Amino acid sequence: MAKYVFVTGGVTSSLGKGILAASLAKLLQARGLRVTIQKLDPYINVDPGTLNPYEHGECYVTEDGAETDLDLGHYERFLGIRTTQANNVTTGRIYSTVIDKERRGDYLGKTVQVIPHITDEIKTRILTLGQNNTYDVIITEIGGTVGDIESLPYMEAIRQLRLELGEGQSMVLHLTLLPYLRAAGELKTKPTQHSVKMLLEIGVQPDVLICRTEHPITNEIRRKVALFCNVTPDAVIEALDAPSIYEVPLKMAREKLDILVLRKLKLRPPHRAELSSWKAFVHRLNHPKHSVRIGLVGKYVELKDSYLSIVEALRHAGATLETRVQIEWIHSEKLEAGNIESTMQGLDAILVAPGFGVRGWEGKIQAIRYARTTGLPFLGICLGMQCATVEFARHVAKLKGADSTEMNPQTRYPVIDLMNSQVGVANKGGTMRLGSYPCRVQTGTLASKAYGKTKTIHERHRHRYELNNKFRERLSEAGLRMSGVNPDLDLVEMIELPGHPWFVGAQFHPEYSSTVDRPHPLFVSFVQAALQNHSQRVH
Ligand code: GLN
């Protein structure tokens, strides 16, 4: 039977529960245990697909087409596993399931209540992952902060589950903050005491406290926290700020978090921790031999989490090539013909990001036009590829006023148009083309060089619009190469420009599947092109 680690957070948000959960999972996986992570989000949206990135950062997409919290991206990148819809559940989804059941008559005659109906549904979602003996350990991260009204049903579900699962079958790990008061020159423990008190009021005793801190914690503080929070001093773990998220597993290993967890769960792992490839990755990341500057053109650049998977995929690729990838954030709304050249100065490549809506669209077109005409390596993802198609149609194929119907429904040349399957779709939630689809890569293209032997690739999608097949011939004749096509639906998935050093557009999102162990080939090829461009410019 799978054992459970529940991860809760106290004092403030943004303490890094997702990274902590992923780090613990990594350490257990490194000892040969089969681990997965689940995130329970206390908001009412059925999934984060309908949220603006400014709300919760990027929307991550799984192979099975679930639109999920960005923490699932961390889980996949750290563990090299694939997650599914079951790995991310929101309050909205829980309620909508319970309300559907009520309408069907499943609870006929009964008053439907938070306890037991909502808590039962939460427990079912937690236990489902543990069935079929697929995992030894399931780490369930509860979003939000202890004390939030929204997270109460989750805490109650954990309290019940711990009792039902029995001794040694589950544990609670509470991530908290020890703020440093400069005037007093001290780390303060009171907020942590309060947040644990709140947990205790609900009937949940944490087994381990992980304390985020800017300064090392002394034994005295450790003892104090332990005393007031009802745990042993060895269960108070220091989590000093780390220079990169990839160092957190190594830090937690030094703090012996994994050993503590194994002891509490009475688990014997198959072997000792095997972290050499992880350490090698961190070493490459920290000791680059080269450096490139890549412009990331998007309209959500104020919030870096909006493009989290892209940033991490660039880092993975950079580490592979022993190259530091310095990202220059470029706001697409601020780009215009007059400032394009100065903005692009000194960049070794640009990446045009995914997105929705017309804001910043023309700025992206300007950036792509510059990259196309000057030989600057370019990667366009999803909207970035659509934008490259429009730029090419307007300026090379001479289809004046060509556009995407998302931006201009009246355009004479709708080179990007709504997919047939999307016409008439009114609901916004979960109705895009989502999840993994196959794509045949044409031989002799940049794409096939990047992917190597694999002729049919599988990549994840999240979009409503596509390259309009009615314009395929005209665009091809003008020199646009369709280097990847979906064999079943006959949709163009990749484009490139013969004669340009590196110009690739992908309708799918390669960034979602890049992991520490397997950096994405397209990103590696892109960073390599940036590196080549850099050395040519310098020499
Ligand atoms: N807005 C575009 C579409 O829906 C692109 C989406 C994206 O970049 N993820 O097709």
Side-chain angles (χ1 to χ4, degrees):
M1 195 182 149
K3 308 222 175 193
Y4 283 89
V5 180
F6 300 108
V7 179
T8 61
V11 184
T12 76
S13 57
S14 305
L15 290 182
K17 277 198 301 278
I19 299 296
L20 177 78
S23 299
L24 171 61
K26 184 75 221 171
L27 295 181
L28 298 176
Q29 188 194 53
R31 290 174 181 273
L33 290 166
R34 300 165 305 159
V35 194
T36 193
I37 321 186
Q38 178 183 43
K39 171 110 191 249
L40 304 180
D41 273 311
Y43 51 73
I44 318 275
N45 303 62
V46 172
D47 62 44
T50 50
L51 291 172
N52 183 316
Y54 289 129
E55 296 280 322
H56 284 275
E58 150 190 296
C59 172
Y60 187 74
V61 179
T62 57
E63 275 184 353
D64 67 340
E67 297 177 280
T68 72
D69 185 77
L70 53 75
D71 273 341
L72 269 74
H74 288 309
Y75 308 161
E76 292 205 4
R77 287 187 283 274
F78 273 52
L79 301 174
I81 57 166
R82 292 297 173 231
T83 57
T84 66
Q85 180 67 71
N87 294 79
N88 190 201
V89 181
T90 69
T91 295
R93 193 170 290 275
I94 301 274
Y95 269 80
S96 93
T97 311
V98 170
I99 290 168
D100 283 348
K101 283 188 188 166
E102 188 277 332
R103 294 288 81 185
R104 260 202 330 256
D106 290 11
Y107 313 113
L108 222 50
K110 291 267 180 272
T111 309
V112 181
Q113 294 177 296
V114 174
I115 306 173
H117 301 101
I118 295 297
T119 45
D120 278 354
E121 186 59 35
I122 295 174
K123 288 194 289 183
T124 304
R125 299 285 179 152
I126 295 174
L127 293 174
T128 303
L129 265 184
Q131 283 163 359
N132 308 327
N133 187 28
T134 317
Y135 303 110
D136 301 307
V137 182
I138 293 162
I139 301 180
T140 299
E141 178 196 344
I142 316 290
T145 309
V146 171
D148 294 347
I149 290 180
E150 288 91 341
S151 50
L152 271 176
Y154 293 97
M155 300 302 165
E156 169 61 15
I158 291 176
R159 184 193 68 76
Q160 296 176 17
L161 256 184
R162 294 205 68 190
L163 211 63
E164 289 162 22
L165 289 167
E167 266 293 302
Q169 294 303 113
S170 76
M171 63 181 291
V172 174
L173 218 145
H174 187 58
L175 178 62
T176 177
L177 174 73
L178 298 181
Y180 180 74
L181 280 198
R182 202 177 308 157
E186 271 184 337
L187 286 173
K188 303 308 267 183
T189 64
K190 196 70 85 191
T192 292
Q193 294 178 37
H194 280 301
S195 92
V196 172
K197 280 228 168 69
M198 247 179 299
L199 265 179
L200 291 171
E201 265 171 35
I202 310 165
V204 175
Q205 166 70 58
D207 298 280
V208 177
L209 297 174
I210 314 245
C211 304
R212 276 298 297 272
T213 167
E214 290 171 14
H215 297 274
I217 57 179
T218 58
N219 278 339
E220 191 193 342
I221 299 241
R222 213 178 277 266
R223 274 198 299 272
K224 189 169 170 191
V225 172
L227 178 68
F228 282 99
C229 299
N230 204 27
V231 298
T232 50
D234 70 332
V236 178
I237 295 222
E238 171 188 284
L240 263 176
D241 295 353
S244 112
I245 56 171
Y246 297 107
E247 307 222 2
V248 180
L250 304 177
K251 266 184 176 294
M252 287 300 112
R254 284 197 289 276
E255 287 286 315
K256 301 195 172 54
L257 173 65
D258 49 339
I259 294 170
L260 193 66
V261 168
L262 291 171
R263 200 175 75 217
K264 300 256 180 207
L265 292 179
K266 302 189 171 69
L267 265 175
R268 257 173 203 278
H271 53 73
R272 292 163 70 106
E274 180 29 295
L275 282 166
S276 52
S277 73
W278 188 273
K279 284 180 183 159
F281 166 78
V282 172
H283 182 84
R284 282 196 305 274
L285 202 60
N286 291 344
H287 300 88
K289 297 201 175 92
H290 324 277
S291 173
V292 290
R293 284 177 68 202
I294 294 183
L296 203 166
V297 185
K299 67 171 169 179
Y300 304 112
V301 292
E302 301 91 336
L303 183 73
K304 310 282 183 270
D305 272 0
S306 307
Y307 303 113
L308 188 64
S309 292
I310 292 178
V311 172
E312 299 307 331
L314 286 171
R315 264 206 241 183
H316 302 159
T320 306
L321 300 167
E322 299 183 293
T323 299
R324 186 170 97 93
V325 177
Q326 196 184 327
I327 297 176
E328 301 298 335
W329 299 87
I330 300 173
H331 205 308
S332 50
E333 238 181 332
K334 296 189 182 139
L335 282 176
E336 50 195 36
N339 63 17
I340 203 87
E341 204 154 335
S342 57
T343 314
M344 300 287 148
Q345 270 312 306
L347 294 180
D348 301 309
I350 60 165
L351 189 156
V352 175
F356 295 84
V358 73
R359 189 164 69 89
W361 172 249
E362 292 299 326
K364 287 180 174 173
I365 291 197
Q366 296 282 356
I368 296 170
R369 185 176 198 176
Y370 179 90
R372 179 178 57 76
T373 52
T374 62
L376 183 66
F378 159 81
L379 174 59
I381 300 179
C382 206
L383 188 77
M385 167 198 149
Q386 298 176 354
C387 201
T389 308
V390 169
E391 193 282 319
F392 183 88
R394 285 186 193 172
H395 305 124
V396 183
K398 299 292 176 222
L399 302 174
K400 198 160 172 269
D403 220 325
S404 159
T405 50
E406 181 182 3
M407 314 306 160
N408 176 10
Q410 267 77 50
T411 173
R412 277 182 66 194
Y413 303 112
V415 291
I416 303 292
D417 199 7
L418 212 52
M419 279 179 273
N420 275 336
S421 54
Q422 288 288 330
V423 177
V425 172
N427 269 358
K428 291 284 183 236
T431 55
M432 278 188 257
R433 181 184 180 209
L434 289 165
S436 181
Y437 284 87
C439 165
R440 287 264 331 151
V441 179
Q442 261 198 35
T443 42
T445 57
L446 275 176
S448 79
K449 224 165 125 189
Y451 282 99
K453 286 198 194 69
T454 330
K455 295 284 167 261
T456 300
I457 55 170
H458 291 83
E459 295 281 4
R460 302 180 208 183
H461 292 249
R462 182 174 187 249
H463 60 109
R464 291 185 204 282
Y465 294 81
E466 58 163 323
L467 194 147
N468 189 343
N469 279 343
K470 289 189 196 122
F471 288 91
R472 238 157 106 170
E473 219 179 292
R474 281 180 87 165
L475 295 171
S476 298
E477 277 165 9
L480 191 69
R481 180 126 195 219
M482 326 273 160
S483 50
V485 175
N486 178 310
D488 310 324
L489 306 168
D490 193 32
L491 298 177
V492 176
E493 310 284 28
M494 297 186 84
I495 57 166
E496 54 189 72
L497 274 183
H500 188 288
W502 209 95
F503 189 102
V504 176
Q507 184 58 75
F508 49 77
H509 293 261
E511 71 275 21
Y512 291 143
S513 48
S514 181
T515 70
V516 165
D517 283 339
R518 306 179 127 210
H520 195 286
L522 205 54
F523 276 89
V524 175
S525 174
F526 174 57
V527 174
Q528 206 153 29
L531 201 56
Q532 250 158 33
N533 184 29
H534 182 84
S535 49
Q536 272 159 16
R537 281 193 317 114
V538 175
H539 298 299

